[in-house]
Amino acid sequence: MENEIIKLLKREGKLSDEAFDELKSVGLNSFSDIIKEVGKEPTEYIKVEDIQEDLNTDFIGKNIYIYKEVMSTNTVAKFLSANNVENGTVIISEKQSDAKGRLGRSWQSPLGGIWLSIIINPNVDHSKIPMITLATGVSVAKTLEKLGIENPEIKWPNDVMINGKKVCGILTEAIATFNTIENVIIGVGIDANIDINSLPEELQEGTTTLSRELGNEVSESEVIKIFLEEFEKVGGEFIAGGYENILKEWRKRSYSIGKIVEVKKPFSKSYDGYVLGISREGSLVVEKIDGTIEKVISGECIIKN
Ligand code: BTN
């Protein structure tokens, strides 16, 4: 059995759906070493050496596992995080076959994009998790600014936008036991050089890519390197409890504040409102038509104007 699994994992260097299903059916733990081993094998388009060369971080991205294809880097990260990985480990895949978006949606991840997850152990309580998502949005926006994109904006809670179109989504997942956060998985998807026409039609209109905005292809490795550096700076503020600065940087780049939105929350009636701002805990503060004020912690806000 073990040999079979090794074969599955190593086939074309992919961590395929079949491999994962099989791993799930057999008590996973002893196989984490194999997953780690595959994650150290050479990939085709994104090179770890290029990312780590002169990478100016203390702990983010010092350890990277990279794959040609996985179902979801968040799934691999979740699995590995239960099996002794260093704080700041990054999981990257050139392609994802079953990637996850927010609110149970799927996420298109063809070649040419940046699909990665960071594992951190921030030692904070559950209520601070939304702030990590905001901090990540800020670090993506700062990365885009460094690449020469003029006015990236963040649509609450975590879509990074260029000229009103989405270029990046963030999915944060906490691994908690009781009230303690064990690890946080921060999944980041950036549409770097993907072909927008390869996306389902309903997504094409609202999506943009770095290459479209800059007029030339970008090096995924270079973008990842800049992002990891920015993430460590902003994430470092988060770990040190410097939420005020994260909020300030977020508010400066907000796409949502001052707009009329439709707030959609699971299991409750949606309503329209005006976005007043973002609270200290990272929730969106919305004034409803009847003048009452709501704090939206999770859900979706569709911009109406
Ligand atoms: C969103 O819905 O906007 C969030 C999308 C998050 C996508 C990224 S890609 C890397 C990581 N792995 C996943 O399966 N999802 C996240």
Side-chain angles (χ1 to χ4, degrees), residues 72-74 96 98-102 107 109 114-117 158-159 166 169-171 187-189:
S72 153
T73 54
N74 270 31
Q96 298 178 107
D98 191 15
K100 297 185 283 180
R102 281 185 73 236
W107 178 261
S109 317
I114 291 170
W115 323 124
L116 62 82
S117 303
N158 53 13
D159 291 348
K166 179 164 171 172
I170 297 162
L171 177 68
V188 178

PDB file of all heavy atoms in Angstrom, residues 72-74 96 98-102 107 109 114-117 158-159 166 169-171 187-189, ligand 1:
ATOM      1  N   SER A  72      -5.637  21.904  -3.926  1.00  0.00           N
ATOM      2  CA  SER A  72      -5.714  23.229  -3.307  1.00  0.00           C
ATOM      3  C   SER A  72      -4.511  23.388  -2.387  1.00  0.00           C
ATOM      4  O   SER A  72      -4.243  22.516  -1.554  1.00  0.00           O
ATOM      5  CB  SER A  72      -7.013  23.322  -2.498  1.00  0.00           C
ATOM      6  OG  SER A  72      -6.878  24.239  -1.439  1.00  0.00           O
ATOM      7  N   THR A  73      -3.797  24.483  -2.532  1.00  0.00           N
ATOM      8  CA  THR A  73      -2.646  24.694  -1.642  1.00  0.00           C
ATOM      9  C   THR A  73      -3.114  24.823  -0.187  1.00  0.00           C
ATOM     10  O   THR A  73      -2.388  24.471   0.730  1.00  0.00           O
ATOM     11  CB  THR A  73      -1.842  25.953  -2.048  1.00  0.00           C
ATOM     12  OG1 THR A  73      -2.734  27.058  -2.116  1.00  0.00           O
ATOM     13  CG2 THR A  73      -1.136  25.764  -3.378  1.00  0.00           C
ATOM     14  N   ASN A  74      -4.336  25.337   0.019  1.00  0.00           N
ATOM     15  CA  ASN A  74      -4.840  25.430   1.401  1.00  0.00           C
ATOM     16  C   ASN A  74      -5.010  24.040   2.011  1.00  0.00           C
ATOM     17  O   ASN A  74      -4.735  23.837   3.187  1.00  0.00           O
ATOM     18  CB  ASN A  74      -6.185  26.169   1.445  1.00  0.00           C
ATOM     19  CG  ASN A  74      -6.015  27.667   1.636  1.00  0.00           C
ATOM     20  OD1 ASN A  74      -5.022  28.234   1.188  1.00  0.00           O
ATOM     21  ND2 ASN A  74      -6.964  28.303   2.285  1.00  0.00           N
ATOM     22  N   GLN A  96      -3.964  24.533  -9.774  1.00  0.00           N
ATOM     23  CA  GLN A  96      -4.781  23.825  -8.772  1.00  0.00           C
ATOM     24  C   GLN A  96      -5.983  23.219  -9.485  1.00  0.00           C
ATOM     25  O   GLN A  96      -6.570  23.841 -10.379  1.00  0.00           O
ATOM     26  CB  GLN A  96      -5.258  24.774  -7.684  1.00  0.00           C
ATOM     27  CG  GLN A  96      -4.144  25.414  -6.871  1.00  0.00           C
ATOM     28  CD  GLN A  96      -4.683  26.385  -5.829  1.00  0.00           C
ATOM     29  OE1 GLN A  96      -4.671  26.102  -4.647  1.00  0.00           O
ATOM     30  NE2 GLN A  96      -5.160  27.532  -6.276  1.00  0.00           N
ATOM     31  N   ASP A  98      -8.731  21.861  -7.750  1.00  0.00           N
ATOM     32  CA  ASP A  98      -9.988  21.980  -7.013  1.00  0.00           C
ATOM     33  C   ASP A  98      -9.824  23.061  -5.947  1.00  0.00           C
ATOM     34  O   ASP A  98     -10.037  22.824  -4.758  1.00  0.00           O
ATOM     35  CB  ASP A  98     -10.308  20.621  -6.363  1.00  0.00           C
ATOM     36  CG  ASP A  98     -11.714  20.576  -5.796  1.00  0.00           C
ATOM     37  OD1 ASP A  98     -12.514  21.464  -6.142  1.00  0.00           O
ATOM     38  OD2 ASP A  98     -12.000  19.669  -4.993  1.00  0.00           O
ATOM     39  N   ALA A  99      -9.444  24.238  -6.404  1.00  0.00           N
ATOM     40  CA  ALA A  99      -9.119  25.301  -5.439  1.00  0.00           C
ATOM     41  C   ALA A  99     -10.381  25.887  -4.837  1.00  0.00           C
ATOM     42  O   ALA A  99     -11.454  25.877  -5.439  1.00  0.00           O
ATOM     43  CB  ALA A  99      -8.309  26.386  -6.138  1.00  0.00           C
ATOM     44  N   LYS A 100     -10.189  26.418  -3.632  1.00  0.00           N
ATOM     45  CA  LYS A 100     -11.334  26.906  -2.871  1.00  0.00           C
ATOM     46  C   LYS A 100     -11.353  28.425  -2.819  1.00  0.00           C
ATOM     47  O   LYS A 100     -10.330  29.062  -2.586  1.00  0.00           O
ATOM     48  CB  LYS A 100     -11.238  26.377  -1.441  1.00  0.00           C
ATOM     49  CG  LYS A 100     -11.306  24.864  -1.391  1.00  0.00           C
ATOM     50  CD  LYS A 100     -11.327  24.363   0.013  1.00  0.00           C
ATOM     51  CE  LYS A 100      -9.958  24.423   0.646  1.00  0.00           C
ATOM     52  NZ  LYS A 100      -9.953  23.924   2.023  1.00  0.00           N
ATOM     53  N   GLY A 101     -12.546  28.970  -3.025  1.00  0.00           N
ATOM     54  CA  GLY A 101     -12.729  30.407  -2.856  1.00  0.00           C
ATOM     55  C   GLY A 101     -13.525  30.659  -1.585  1.00  0.00           C
ATOM     56  O   GLY A 101     -13.850  29.721  -0.850  1.00  0.00           O
ATOM     57  N   ARG A 102     -13.847  31.902  -1.331  1.00  0.00           N
ATOM     58  CA  ARG A 102     -14.656  32.230  -0.151  1.00  0.00           C
ATOM     59  C   ARG A 102     -16.083  31.740  -0.335  1.00  0.00           C
ATOM     60  O   ARG A 102     -16.528  31.499  -1.443  1.00  0.00           O
ATOM     61  CB  ARG A 102     -14.704  33.751   0.058  1.00  0.00           C
ATOM     62  CG  ARG A 102     -13.462  34.307   0.702  1.00  0.00           C
ATOM     63  CD  ARG A 102     -13.645  35.786   0.989  1.00  0.00           C
ATOM     64  NE  ARG A 102     -14.547  36.014   2.104  1.00  0.00           N
ATOM     65  CZ  ARG A 102     -15.656  36.757   2.049  1.00  0.00           C
ATOM     66  NH1 ARG A 102     -16.039  37.319   0.930  1.00  0.00           N
ATOM     67  NH2 ARG A 102     -16.397  36.934   3.122  1.00  0.00           N
ATOM     68  N   TRP A 107     -12.418  28.179  -7.112  1.00  0.00           N
ATOM     69  CA  TRP A 107     -11.513  29.242  -7.561  1.00  0.00           C
ATOM     70  C   TRP A 107     -10.723  28.719  -8.751  1.00  0.00           C
ATOM     71  O   TRP A 107     -10.080  27.675  -8.665  1.00  0.00           O
ATOM     72  CB  TRP A 107     -10.573  29.630  -6.406  1.00  0.00           C
ATOM     73  CG  TRP A 107      -9.558  30.673  -6.761  1.00  0.00           C
ATOM     74  CD1 TRP A 107      -8.254  30.467  -7.091  1.00  0.00           C
ATOM     75  CD2 TRP A 107      -9.765  32.090  -6.800  1.00  0.00           C
ATOM     76  NE1 TRP A 107      -7.638  31.674  -7.336  1.00  0.00           N
ATOM     77  CE2 TRP A 107      -8.540  32.686  -7.161  1.00  0.00           C
ATOM     78  CE3 TRP A 107     -10.881  32.927  -6.567  1.00  0.00           C
ATOM     79  CZ2 TRP A 107      -8.384  34.063  -7.295  1.00  0.00           C
ATOM     80  CZ3 TRP A 107     -10.718  34.305  -6.692  1.00  0.00           C
ATOM     81  CH2 TRP A 107      -9.490  34.854  -7.053  1.00  0.00           C
ATOM     82  N   SER A 109      -7.828  28.156 -11.174  1.00  0.00           N
ATOM     83  CA  SER A 109      -6.374  28.281 -10.969  1.00  0.00           C
ATOM     84  C   SER A 109      -5.564  27.658 -12.093  1.00  0.00           C
ATOM     85  O   SER A 109      -4.854  26.664 -11.902  1.00  0.00           O
ATOM     86  CB  SER A 109      -5.969  27.596  -9.668  1.00  0.00           C
ATOM     87  OG  SER A 109      -6.863  27.868  -8.636  1.00  0.00           O
ATOM     88  N   ILE A 114      -0.616  32.912  -9.539  1.00  0.00           N
ATOM     89  CA  ILE A 114       0.142  32.689  -8.304  1.00  0.00           C
ATOM     90  C   ILE A 114      -0.830  32.108  -7.301  1.00  0.00           C
ATOM     91  O   ILE A 114      -1.803  32.763  -6.903  1.00  0.00           O
ATOM     92  CB  ILE A 114       0.738  34.024  -7.808  1.00  0.00           C
ATOM     93  CG1 ILE A 114       1.833  34.471  -8.787  1.00  0.00           C
ATOM     94  CG2 ILE A 114       1.286  33.886  -6.383  1.00  0.00           C
ATOM     95  CD1 ILE A 114       2.340  35.860  -8.564  1.00  0.00           C
ATOM     96  N   TRP A 115      -0.605  30.858  -6.941  1.00  0.00           N
ATOM     97  CA  TRP A 115      -1.516  30.161  -6.036  1.00  0.00           C
ATOM     98  C   TRP A 115      -0.674  29.670  -4.862  1.00  0.00           C
ATOM     99  O   TRP A 115       0.161  28.783  -5.026  1.00  0.00           O
ATOM    100  CB  TRP A 115      -2.202  28.969  -6.736  1.00  0.00           C
ATOM    101  CG  TRP A 115      -2.562  29.201  -8.174  1.00  0.00           C
ATOM    102  CD1 TRP A 115      -2.179  28.458  -9.240  1.00  0.00           C
ATOM    103  CD2 TRP A 115      -3.413  30.244  -8.713  1.00  0.00           C
ATOM    104  NE1 TRP A 115      -2.703  28.970 -10.414  1.00  0.00           N
ATOM    105  CE2 TRP A 115      -3.457  30.068 -10.117  1.00  0.00           C
ATOM    106  CE3 TRP A 115      -4.117  31.314  -8.170  1.00  0.00           C
ATOM    107  CZ2 TRP A 115      -4.183  30.909 -10.968  1.00  0.00           C
ATOM    108  CZ3 TRP A 115      -4.839  32.158  -9.011  1.00  0.00           C
ATOM    109  CH2 TRP A 115      -4.874  31.953 -10.374  1.00  0.00           C
ATOM    110  N   LEU A 116      -0.852  30.302  -3.724  1.00  0.00           N
ATOM    111  CA  LEU A 116      -0.011  29.905  -2.590  1.00  0.00           C
ATOM    112  C   LEU A 116      -0.759  30.011  -1.263  1.00  0.00           C
ATOM    113  O   LEU A 116      -1.769  30.710  -1.147  1.00  0.00           O
ATOM    114  CB  LEU A 116       1.264  30.750  -2.551  1.00  0.00           C
ATOM    115  CG  LEU A 116       1.170  32.266  -2.355  1.00  0.00           C
ATOM    116  CD1 LEU A 116       1.005  32.635  -0.890  1.00  0.00           C
ATOM    117  CD2 LEU A 116       2.437  32.932  -2.875  1.00  0.00           C
ATOM    118  N   SER A 117      -0.231  29.280  -0.291  1.00  0.00           N
ATOM    119  CA  SER A 117      -0.772  29.353   1.070  1.00  0.00           C
ATOM    120  C   SER A 117       0.392  29.502   2.038  1.00  0.00           C
ATOM    121  O   SER A 117       1.425  28.858   1.882  1.00  0.00           O
ATOM    122  CB  SER A 117      -1.542  28.086   1.430  1.00  0.00           C
ATOM    123  OG  SER A 117      -2.586  27.856   0.509  1.00  0.00           O
ATOM    124  N   ASN A 158     -11.550  41.110   1.321  1.00  0.00           N
ATOM    125  CA  ASN A 158     -10.232  40.652   0.887  1.00  0.00           C
ATOM    126  C   ASN A 158     -10.024  40.540  -0.616  1.00  0.00           C
ATOM    127  O   ASN A 158      -9.152  39.816  -1.049  1.00  0.00           O
ATOM    128  CB  ASN A 158      -9.946  39.285   1.522  1.00  0.00           C
ATOM    129  CG  ASN A 158     -11.074  38.321   1.237  1.00  0.00           C
ATOM    130  OD1 ASN A 158     -11.915  38.605   0.392  1.00  0.00           O
ATOM    131  ND2 ASN A 158     -11.117  37.202   1.913  1.00  0.00           N
ATOM    132  N   ASP A 159     -10.841  41.227  -1.409  1.00  0.00           N
ATOM    133  CA  ASP A 159     -10.568  41.182  -2.849  1.00  0.00           C
ATOM    134  C   ASP A 159      -9.667  42.354  -3.198  1.00  0.00           C
ATOM    135  O   ASP A 159      -9.978  43.492  -2.852  1.00  0.00           O
ATOM    136  CB  ASP A 159     -11.857  41.354  -3.665  1.00  0.00           C
ATOM    137  CG  ASP A 159     -12.778  40.154  -3.538  1.00  0.00           C
ATOM    138  OD1 ASP A 159     -12.325  39.115  -3.020  1.00  0.00           O
ATOM    139  OD2 ASP A 159     -13.940  40.271  -3.959  1.00  0.00           O
ATOM    140  N   LYS A 166     -11.310  42.537 -10.218  1.00  0.00           N
ATOM    141  CA  LYS A 166     -10.603  41.737  -9.209  1.00  0.00           C
ATOM    142  C   LYS A 166      -9.346  41.089  -9.798  1.00  0.00           C
ATOM    143  O   LYS A 166      -9.389  40.497 -10.867  1.00  0.00           O
ATOM    144  CB  LYS A 166     -11.559  40.657  -8.693  1.00  0.00           C
ATOM    145  CG  LYS A 166     -10.972  39.721  -7.660  1.00  0.00           C
ATOM    146  CD  LYS A 166     -12.091  38.973  -6.932  1.00  0.00           C
ATOM    147  CE  LYS A 166     -11.571  37.865  -6.050  1.00  0.00           C
ATOM    148  NZ  LYS A 166     -12.603  37.261  -5.197  1.00  0.00           N
ATOM    149  N   GLY A 169      -7.700  37.118  -4.776  1.00  0.00           N
ATOM    150  CA  GLY A 169      -8.629  36.720  -3.713  1.00  0.00           C
ATOM    151  C   GLY A 169      -7.836  36.069  -2.582  1.00  0.00           C
ATOM    152  O   GLY A 169      -6.771  35.494  -2.799  1.00  0.00           O
ATOM    153  N   ILE A 170      -8.366  36.190  -1.378  1.00  0.00           N
ATOM    154  CA  ILE A 170      -7.671  35.661  -0.190  1.00  0.00           C
ATOM    155  C   ILE A 170      -8.636  34.793   0.614  1.00  0.00           C
ATOM    156  O   ILE A 170      -9.778  35.196   0.847  1.00  0.00           O
ATOM    157  CB  ILE A 170      -7.160  36.833   0.685  1.00  0.00           C
ATOM    158  CG1 ILE A 170      -6.129  37.670  -0.095  1.00  0.00           C
ATOM    159  CG2 ILE A 170      -6.535  36.318   1.986  1.00  0.00           C
ATOM    160  CD1 ILE A 170      -5.880  39.046   0.472  1.00  0.00           C
ATOM    161  N   LEU A 171      -8.182  33.623   0.976  1.00  0.00           N
ATOM    162  CA  LEU A 171      -9.023  32.733   1.791  1.00  0.00           C
ATOM    163  C   LEU A 171      -8.241  32.331   3.035  1.00  0.00           C
ATOM    164  O   LEU A 171      -7.259  31.605   2.952  1.00  0.00           O
ATOM    165  CB  LEU A 171      -9.402  31.484   0.985  1.00  0.00           C
ATOM    166  CG  LEU A 171     -10.217  30.441   1.741  1.00  0.00           C
ATOM    167  CD1 LEU A 171     -11.610  30.964   2.068  1.00  0.00           C
ATOM    168  CD2 LEU A 171     -10.332  29.150   0.929  1.00  0.00           C
ATOM    169  N   GLY A 187      -4.518  31.639   2.278  1.00  0.00           N
ATOM    170  CA  GLY A 187      -4.437  31.265   0.858  1.00  0.00           C
ATOM    171  C   GLY A 187      -4.584  32.508  -0.003  1.00  0.00           C
ATOM    172  O   GLY A 187      -5.506  33.306   0.177  1.00  0.00           O
ATOM    173  N   VAL A 188      -3.668  32.666  -0.933  1.00  0.00           N
ATOM    174  CA  VAL A 188      -3.672  33.866  -1.784  1.00  0.00           C
ATOM    175  C   VAL A 188      -3.651  33.437  -3.249  1.00  0.00           C
ATOM    176  O   VAL A 188      -2.812  32.624  -3.656  1.00  0.00           O
ATOM    177  CB  VAL A 188      -2.429  34.742  -1.490  1.00  0.00           C
ATOM    178  CG1 VAL A 188      -2.397  35.968  -2.390  1.00  0.00           C
ATOM    179  CG2 VAL A 188      -2.402  35.159  -0.032  1.00  0.00           C
ATOM    180  N   GLY A 189      -4.573  33.956  -4.019  1.00  0.00           N
ATOM    181  CA  GLY A 189      -4.585  33.677  -5.455  1.00  0.00           C
ATOM    182  C   GLY A 189      -4.471  34.976  -6.228  1.00  0.00           C
ATOM    183  O   GLY A 189      -5.318  35.863  -6.091  1.00  0.00           O
TER     184      GLY A 189
HETATM  185  C1  BTN B   1     -11.857  34.305  -3.007  1.00  0.00           C
HETATM  186  O1  BTN B   1     -12.927  33.667  -3.119  1.00  0.00           O
HETATM  187  O2  BTN B   1     -11.745  35.453  -3.419  1.00  0.00           O
HETATM  188  C2  BTN B   1     -10.673  33.633  -2.346  1.00  0.00           C
HETATM  189  C3  BTN B   1      -9.827  32.888  -3.329  1.00  0.00           C
HETATM  190  C4  BTN B   1      -8.605  32.251  -2.704  1.00  0.00           C
HETATM  191  C5  BTN B   1      -7.816  31.425  -3.707  1.00  0.00           C
HETATM  192  C6  BTN B   1      -6.516  30.930  -3.158  1.00  0.00           C
HETATM  193  S1  BTN B   1      -5.474  30.264  -4.395  1.00  0.00           S
HETATM  194  C7  BTN B   1      -4.403  29.603  -3.202  1.00  0.00           C
HETATM  195  C8  BTN B   1      -5.267  29.099  -2.079  1.00  0.00           C
HETATM  196  N1  BTN B   1      -5.687  27.726  -2.318  1.00  0.00           N
HETATM  197  C9  BTN B   1      -7.016  27.617  -2.450  1.00  0.00           C
HETATM  198  O3  BTN B   1      -7.631  26.562  -2.665  1.00  0.00           O
HETATM  199  N2  BTN B   1      -7.573  28.834  -2.358  1.00  0.00           N
HETATM  200  C10 BTN B   1      -6.596  29.866  -2.083  1.00  0.00           C
END
